[in-house]
Amino acid sequence: MTSRLDRLEAAGFVERTIDPADRRSFRVRLTDKGFATVDEAMTAHTANVTRLLSALDGKRLGALDDLLRILLRALDG
């Protein structure tokens, strides 16, 4: 985890500060650059999902929704 945070911090995506309640810990937050990068990625991801699902009509989207709900319930245990 530390090496990943080091790379993200070096790239300017996150910043770390010492947790005032526990000086052994750090708080990590996204920088403006990090927020912008996440926003771009989510926008692209949403557009891709929309493109993929556009091949399905309403009935098939409903069936997919039902199947995904079953899988999610199975994951919840």
Side-chain angles (χ1 to χ4, degrees):
M1 181 64 83
T2 299
S3 64
R4 288 180 187 223
L5 287 173
D6 287 344
R7 289 192 307 268
L8 290 168
E9 188 174 33
F13 294 119
V14 299
E15 63 182 26
R16 287 186 272 193
T17 56
I18 294 176
D19 185 338
D22 182 357
R23 297 188 58 78
R24 297 170 296 170
S25 300
F26 289 90
R27 292 185 178 184
V28 180
R29 75 172 201 82
L30 287 172
T31 61
D32 289 342
K33 179 181 178 181
F35 274 111
T37 302
V38 169
D39 188 50
E40 287 176 31
M42 290 305 300
T43 299
H45 174 68
T46 300
N48 189 46
V49 169
T50 300
R51 181 184 61 79
L52 290 170
L53 295 178
S54 70
L56 302 177
D57 61 19
K59 183 178 179 181
R60 289 187 173 128
L61 279 172
L64 177 60
D65 187 50
D66 292 340
L67 292 170
L68 291 172
R69 188 175 294 111
I70 290 167
L71 288 173
L72 285 173
R73 284 187 188 135
L75 290 173
D76 280 343

